[in-house]
Amino acid sequence: MTTDGADAIVVGAGLAGLVAAAELADAGRRVLLLDQEGEANLGGQAFWSFGGLFLVDSPEQRRLRVRDSRDLAWQDWVNTAGFDRAEDHWPRRWAEAYVDFAAGEKGPWLRGMGVQFFPVVGWAERGGALAGGPGNSVPRFHITWGTGPGVVAPFEWRVRAHALAGRIQLRFRHRVTGLSVTNGVVDGVHGEVLEPDGAARGERSSRVVVGEFAFGAGAVIVTSGGIGGNHDLVRRVWPTERLGPAPSFMVSGVPAHVDGAMQGVAERAGGHVINPDRMWHYTEGLRNHTPIWANHGIRILPGPSSLWLDPSGQRLPAPLFPGFDTLGTLAHITRQGFAHTWFLLNERIIEKEFALSGSEQNPDLTGRDVRGVLARALPGVGAPVRAFMERGPDFVVRDDLRALVRGMNDLIGDEAVQYEVVEREVRARDAQLINGFGKDAQLAAIRSARAYLGDRLVRVAKPHALLDPAAGPLIAVKLNILTRKSLGGLETDLQGRVLRAGGAVLPGLYAAGEVAGFGGGGMHGYRALEGTFLGGCLFSGRVAGRAAAAAVS
C-alpha cells in the first residue's frame, strides 16, 4: 500500500467531500480525493439541487419582517425531529450544534466566500398542526443565487486551487471497496479503478474494472452520500411498521451511483450505522420528460393552493396540504396503499405556485439572470413548468372538469377517478370563497400564508374558484413517490469521528454528509425542516475536515 504522499483521504467528491478536502488543505495537509464517477460529477448531488439553505435570523428574514431566533428554530427542530431512541444521543447533539451554526456563523461564512441569496425567503415544511407539532414556524428556506452550482462553486474553486498547488490530488474513477485497518486503526483504503468514461453528469457510467489501488493515510473521511438511487436497499430498510409497505413504483431523485455501497464498506470495517429506517422521500415526484438518469424524477416545490386528491378523487385529510408535512403525507399515502395521488389546480395557480426542484429546472436562478428572475412576478407560466404541462407524462390539461377527469383516467388506464367525487370536492371548496372567511382549513392556511409578504408577492396565488373560466385551463398532475435522502447513517461524535457499536471511537475514520445522516447518524430525526441537507453537508464536512487536520498534524 502506498501513501501517495497524502495525510488524509476523502472518499466522495460531493459537497461534503469538497468542504472536508478544502478544510484539510487550508490547514496545510496533503489530501487524496477519490470518487468512483468521472470529473463531470464533481460536486455530487448538490449540483442538481435548488440550492436552499436553512438560516436563522438572517438579514433576508429581517428585511421581510420575519422575526426568528435560535430558540424558536431549536424548538421547531426538536418538535419536527421527534428524537425518541437511545441512539439519538449524538444525532441530537449534532442537531443542536447545527442550529447554533445556522443562527450564527453559517451565513457570514458563506457570504465571505461570495455566496449570495435570493431576497425572498421561502417557507418550506409549514407543518399545519399545532404550535408543538412539526414544521417551520417562520420562513427559513434561503435560495442561493446560482442554486446548487452556486453552493458548490466556492468549494470547488478552493479544491481546484489546492490541486494546482499540489496539496490535493483528484483521483476520479476510483471506487473504494474496502478500508484497511491495522491494530484497530483505519489507515487507508483499497478498491478498483474503473475504465475512463465520458458520461455526462448524472448519466450511468461504465463499471468495467481496469485495475486496483491501495492508498494509506493518517485519516480517512467518508463522504459518499446516501442510498436514494438504490431502490432495492431503500425497500430493504423501509419502515413498514411506521409507513406501511413501500410503494411498488417510485421515481429516483438521484442517479443510480447514489447506492449506499460505501456505507456498507465502513460498516464492515467496524463503523456503526444507526437509524437506517429514517428516510426523506417526497410525495410530489414527477417523471422527467427529458430524463438524465434512469427513472429520473423531479420534485414539485408546491405552494399551498392545489387540491390534493387520492386515486379516487377524494381530498386528502387536513392538514395534509401541499408544502406542509412531507412525512405525514407520505405515511398517509403509503399506509393506504395508494400507488399515486393527484394535484388538481388551474393555470392561475400553477403560474405562481409551482417551482421545480433542481438547478437545471431553474435556469434563471442558476444562471444568475436578474431579468429572468424578475419575469417570475409577471403573468404567465414559466418555461420549465410550461414544458412539463406540454410534455410531462404526468400532466393532464383540459378546459372543463369532466374532460379533465376523463384524461386522468386515460393516463392511469382505468376508471379509478370518479367524476362525481371530484366535482363534489371542487364545488364544496369553491363555495367557501363566497366570503373572506370560512371553515375550509386549506383556504384558511392560504390566507394565512399571504399575510407573509414573500408569499403574497411571488409564491401564493390569491384565493379564487378553481372552476373560474378566467383562471383556466384546469390541470391535474399525477404524483409519484420520489426517493431522495437518507436521514440515518454512520454514527459520529461532534468531531465527525465514526463510532463503533457501543460508542467507542473507530480511530482514523471520519464521516460527513448524507452517509453520516448529515451528522451523528441522523441529526434530522424522523423529519427535516428543509434547507438542512446542503447545510448539513457544509457543516459536517467542515467539522470532519478540521478535526482530521488536527489529528494528523
Side-chain angles (χ1 to χ4, degrees):
M1 181 169 63
T2 174
T3 63
D4 218 44
D7 298 308
I9 297 168
V10 178
V11 183
L15 180 60
L18 292 178
V19 175
E23 292 291 337
L24 280 158
D26 284 353
R29 309 297 174 258
R30 297 162 300 170
V31 184
L32 186 58
L33 179 56
L34 308 176
D35 199 284
Q36 66 177 347
E37 297 305 310
E39 188 169 359
N41 284 279
L42 193 68
Q45 304 324 300
F47 179 91
W48 296 110
S49 74
F50 195 38
L53 290 169
F54 177 93
L55 295 171
V56 177
D57 192 25
S58 69
E60 291 79 14
Q61 287 175 302
R62 292 194 292 272
R63 279 195 289 269
L64 291 166
R65 300 179 183 175
V66 174
R67 296 176 181 175
D68 200 7
S69 69
R70 183 267 180 204
D71 289 345
L72 181 61
W74 178 237
Q75 175 183 305
D76 284 349
W77 193 291
V78 171
N79 291 338
T80 300
F83 296 123
D84 61 359
R85 297 174 177 174
E87 55 265 40
D88 283 332
H89 169 75
W90 288 112
R92 185 184 177 100
R93 292 194 63 185
W94 268 92
E96 189 162 13
Y98 177 71
V99 170
D100 289 342
F101 179 61
E105 191 179 356
K106 182 180 179 183
W109 179 59
L110 290 171
R111 290 185 181 92
M113 288 182 279
V115 175
Q116 297 175 300
F117 299 104
F118 184 60
V120 178
V121 183
W123 196 349
E125 286 296 297
R126 299 167 190 250
L130 300 177
N136 284 295
S137 297
V138 298
R140 297 188 176 108
F141 191 77
H142 295 67
I143 301 167
T144 303
W145 188 233
T147 67
V151 179
V152 171
F155 301 99
E156 180 180 345
W157 294 336
R158 286 168 63 188
V159 165
R160 291 195 182 278
H162 283 304
L164 286 173
R167 287 182 289 273
I168 294 179
Q169 298 180 56
L170 298 165
R171 299 288 183 93
F172 299 103
R173 308 296 288 157
H174 280 59
R175 179 172 61 189
V176 174
T177 59
L179 301 176
S180 60
V181 183
T182 304
N183 297 324
V185 177
V186 174
D187 57 4
V189 302
H190 55 86
E192 300 164 335
V193 180
L194 305 178
E195 70 174 351
D197 190 314
R201 182 185 290 272
E203 292 181 352
R204 184 180 291 275
S205 62
S206 170
R207 287 296 178 262
V208 174
V209 176
V210 295
E212 297 179 344
F213 66 86
F215 299 123
V220 174
I221 305 179
V222 178
T223 56
S224 54
I227 69 172
N230 184 343
H231 286 200
D232 289 340
L233 184 52
V234 168
R235 289 190 169 92
R236 195 182 313 154
V237 298
W238 187 274
T240 54
E241 73 287 350
R242 285 193 290 113
L243 300 181
S248 58
F249 174 76
M250 298 181 285
V251 292
S252 284
V254 293
H257 63 255
V258 184
D259 57 11
M262 194 62 211
Q263 190 178 85
V265 169
E267 192 171 21
R268 289 190 293 275
H272 188 213
V273 174
I274 60 174
N275 302 315
D277 62 311
R278 293 178 180 170
M279 296 175 281
W280 193 246
H281 303 312
Y282 291 111
T283 50
E284 316 96 335
L286 303 174
R287 291 173 289 171
N288 196 345
H289 57 76
T290 310
I292 296 170
W293 54 82
N295 200 24
H296 185 176
I298 296 292
R299 186 206 172 195
I300 301 167
L301 301 172
S305 299
S306 299
L307 279 193
W308 206 330
L309 307 179
D310 72 16
S312 73
Q314 291 187 320
R315 287 176 76 176
L316 299 192
L320 304 182
F321 310 135
F324 276 67
D325 182 357
T326 295
L327 185 64
T329 309
L330 176 66
H332 177 79
I333 291 169
T334 52
R335 285 173 186 161
Q336 298 297 320
F338 296 154
H340 60 272
T341 55
W342 296 94
F343 277 169
L344 194 154
L345 63 158
N346 56 34
E347 186 159 312
R348 186 179 295 171
I349 292 173
I350 205 171
E351 72 180 19
K352 192 158 190 177
E353 296 200 6
F354 263 42
L356 300 171
S357 182
S359 54
E360 82 284 7
Q361 299 297 331
N362 296 275
D364 50 354
L365 286 164
T366 302
R368 308 178 194 226
D369 177 3
V370 175
R371 226 176 248 186
V373 172
L374 291 175
R376 291 186 178 221
L378 301 176
V381 179
V385 174
R386 178 67 70 183
F388 270 91
M389 288 177 63
E390 295 174 352
R391 295 187 281 140
D394 294 314
F395 277 70
V396 181
V397 183
R398 298 289 189 274
D399 290 325
D400 66 82
L401 189 61
R402 190 174 293 276
L404 186 76
V405 171
R406 190 180 310 120
M408 294 162 73
N409 283 324
D410 289 345
L411 179 61
I412 299 301
D414 59 27
E415 298 297 319
V417 187
Q418 302 170 46
Y419 173 74
E420 294 76 14
V421 172
V422 175
E423 183 187 37
R424 182 178 69 244
E425 295 283 17
V426 172
R427 292 194 182 280
R429 179 263 188 200
D430 283 0
Q432 291 289 304
L433 290 162
I434 295 172
N435 297 292
F437 48 85
K439 67 179 181 180
D440 188 277
Q442 184 173 2
L443 288 174
I446 292 166
R447 292 185 177 109
S448 175
R450 285 177 57 82
Y452 166 50
L453 179 62
D455 275 350
R456 189 166 69 253
L457 289 175
V458 299
R459 191 69 174 119
V460 180
K462 185 178 180 179
H464 63 277
L466 288 170
L467 296 180
D468 181 354
L474 293 169
I475 302 163
V477 186
K478 175 179 170 284
L479 305 174
N480 311 282
I481 303 303
L482 179 145
T483 63
R484 185 61 69 86
K485 297 298 181 187
S486 315
L487 298 188
L490 291 165
E491 186 178 19
T492 59
D493 66 10
L494 285 179
Q495 296 181 59
R497 298 181 299 182
V498 174
L499 305 179
R500 297 180 181 274
V505 170
L506 178 55
L509 186 62
Y510 300 77
E514 192 172 351
V515 73
F518 302 95
M523 73 171 188
H524 294 93
Y526 291 95
R527 285 176 164 95
L529 287 172
E530 291 292 357
T532 56
F533 300 128
L534 292 178
C537 289
L538 294 171
F539 183 55
S540 61
R542 189 175 92 147
V543 167
R546 292 182 178 183
V552 299
S553 61

